[in-house]
Amino acid sequence: MDNLSKVFIAELEEGRLIEFVESVQPPRKISEKWVLIISTLAGCPVKCLMCDAGYYFKGKLSKEEMIAQIEYLVKDKFPSSEIKTEMLKIQFARLGEPAMNINVIDVLKWLPVRYEDINILPSVSSIAPKGFDLFFEKLIEVRQNLYSDKDFQMQFSIHTTDVEKRNKIIPVRKMTFEEMAVIGKKMYKNGFRKIALNFALMKDSPLEVSVLKKYFSPELFMLKITPVNPTYSKLRNEVESFFNAYEEDKNYLIDEIKSAGYDVILSIGEKDENLVGSNCGQFIVSHLNNDYKLCDGYTNV
Ligand code: SF4
């Protein structure tokens, strides 16, 4: 699976375990787009219902510890340090909620300096936790100033428009949809990609277009719909993916969202990535420590 994605596990000081990933996204070749997914925290305190990263939490990573993940992947793939790709996407999305680590801002500042000749696409994916205003203020500053002439991917993982269910899926204090819309508006830059609202859709977790319309303008926001990947947390918490339960309703839902004016990406991903354990919500250390082994995920670890 070396040509699709590869997960690396690193042990930092004090026995903190982190993971980072390099991947290509078929049909694109590495020469067109190369994706690095790095950890921002050692584990995650949020403990989303379907995510194995909540398995443990040992604090936030320093700027240097995040940079080391990027530099290691670059050296592993391109030993000469000459990165041969048209787009280098850096996702702050392996272990940890990035807003809980202000050092992510320093890495975002470092990237265009270190890789000045490369088309960098940073990607910040957040569950919008409450109480991290400074992070979002700085993020907006960086996006609007340092990346003013570049694309920048910002994603809020919402998962459902039902507030109570959202609280159950993401069990920490979070911003309201109004508060997220204000930040999204400030992050958006005309002419570049819209702010993504991510839904890892579960059975019985509604996605109501009327709620979306109330808070999120289709001019600024788009939707990304994904299945819930095979994880131990998903199994333990009896989470069922919407796509398994209501496969036939998928097209109806997408048509409804599109009719409301939203762009939609249906991001099913590569099944092989589930087997490698590189997909969202997966954490190989959790797999290694589990006596029971999943058969639809982590089998090629
Ligand atoms: S989905 Fe993100 S925020 Fe939730 S537990 Fe996993 S890493 Fe943390």
Side-chain angles (χ1 to χ4, degrees):
M1 224 61 70
D2 198 31
N3 54 354
L4 184 62
S5 71
K6 204 167 166 185
V7 185
F8 294 79
I9 303 176
E11 184 172 350
L12 307 179
E13 280 169 14
E14 293 149 20
R16 292 169 300 146
L17 291 170
I18 59 158
E19 292 180 3
F20 45 110
V21 177
E22 64 94 0
S23 70
V24 287
Q25 294 175 336
R28 298 221 214 180
K29 299 187 188 109
I30 190 168
S31 56
E32 296 168 276
K33 184 179 179 186
W34 188 38
V35 183
L36 310 186
I37 309 170
I38 66 163
S39 292
T40 56
L41 306 176
C44 189
V46 179
K47 299 188 191 308
C48 294
L49 219 54
M50 63 301 189
C51 178
D52 284 347
Y55 167 76
Y56 88 133
F57 176 56
K58 290 195 177 169
K60 57 188 180 188
L61 303 193
S62 67
K63 172 188 172 190
E64 291 70 25
E65 286 167 336
M66 285 182 272
I67 287 176
Q69 297 170 59
I70 298 169
E71 301 265 63
Y72 185 92
L73 294 172
V74 168
K75 211 159 189 170
D76 182 66
K77 187 64 84 182
F78 300 106
S80 71
S81 293
E82 193 196 337
I83 304 173
K84 293 179 187 147
T85 185
E86 283 166 26
M87 182 194 286
L88 177 60
K89 182 174 178 182
I90 314 272
Q91 285 183 232
F92 296 84
R94 182 64 183 174
L95 304 182
E97 159 55 45
M100 293 180 172
N101 187 353
I102 195 78
N103 299 328
V104 167
I105 301 296
D106 288 332
V107 180
L108 284 167
K109 289 180 180 170
W110 169 85
L111 277 172
V113 178
R114 171 70 177 84
Y115 300 113
E116 60 176 334
D117 298 327
I118 294 172
N119 178 20
I120 300 268
L121 174 63
S123 172
V124 175
S125 175
S126 173
I127 52 112
K130 189 101 177 151
F132 295 88
D133 298 356
L134 182 65
F135 175 87
F136 286 102
E137 272 168 37
K138 298 274 172 207
L139 187 66
I140 292 162
E141 253 175 55
V142 164
R143 197 283 167 263
Q144 295 297 352
N145 300 324
L146 212 59
Y147 291 86
S148 61
D149 58 347
K150 297 180 179 70
D151 214 347
F152 194 109
Q153 192 172 67
M154 176 73 209
Q155 175 175 297
F156 286 121
S157 295
I158 296 182
H159 305 317
T160 177
T161 49
D162 182 302
V163 172
E164 239 171 71
K165 291 204 162 132
R166 183 179 167 226
N167 287 339
K168 207 172 156 219
I169 297 166
I170 311 170
V172 290
R173 285 176 69 232
K174 296 168 293 301
M175 290 183 216
T176 61
F177 292 151
E178 285 107 315
E179 289 167 326
M180 289 160 65
V182 170
I183 292 187
K185 207 169 171 182
K186 291 182 181 168
M187 282 296 291
Y188 177 72
K189 194 139 185 94
N190 207 5
F192 292 99
R193 72 182 64 209
K194 294 178 184 177
I195 310 302
L197 303 174
N198 173 237
F199 291 82
L201 266 194
M202 298 165 203
K203 186 187 166 199
D204 305 326
S205 296
L207 192 175
E208 296 280 349
V209 174
S210 57
V211 178
L212 288 179
K213 283 289 264 193
K214 188 169 167 196
Y215 300 105
F216 303 107
S217 160
E219 302 294 313
L220 308 182
F221 294 89
M222 51 84 62
L223 270 75
K224 189 170 154 203
I225 299 179
T226 57
V228 183
N229 295 318
T231 62
Y232 290 95
S233 301
K234 178 186 170 193
L235 190 72
R236 193 173 45 250
N237 295 317
E238 297 178 348
V239 173
E240 191 172 350
S241 185
F242 173 88
F243 292 134
N244 296 349
Y246 304 118
E247 177 63 34
E248 69 280 6
D249 291 344
K250 190 175 69 190
N251 294 341
Y252 173 76
L253 177 68
I254 293 194
D255 285 348
E256 196 192 352
I257 299 166
K258 281 186 178 162
S259 305
Y262 293 98
D263 302 331
V264 191
I265 295 177
L266 183 63
S267 182
I268 302 291
E270 294 290 323
K271 282 224 166 74
D272 283 347
E273 291 200 80
N274 285 332
L275 307 183
V276 179
S278 66
N279 260 332
C280 190
Q282 294 189 305
F283 181 29
I284 286 177
V285 171
S286 157
H287 164 72
L288 297 176
N289 287 330
N290 243 294
D291 292 335
Y292 171 80
K293 301 293 179 201
L294 288 176
C295 57
D296 55 348
Y298 300 107
T299 53
N300 291 346
V301 167

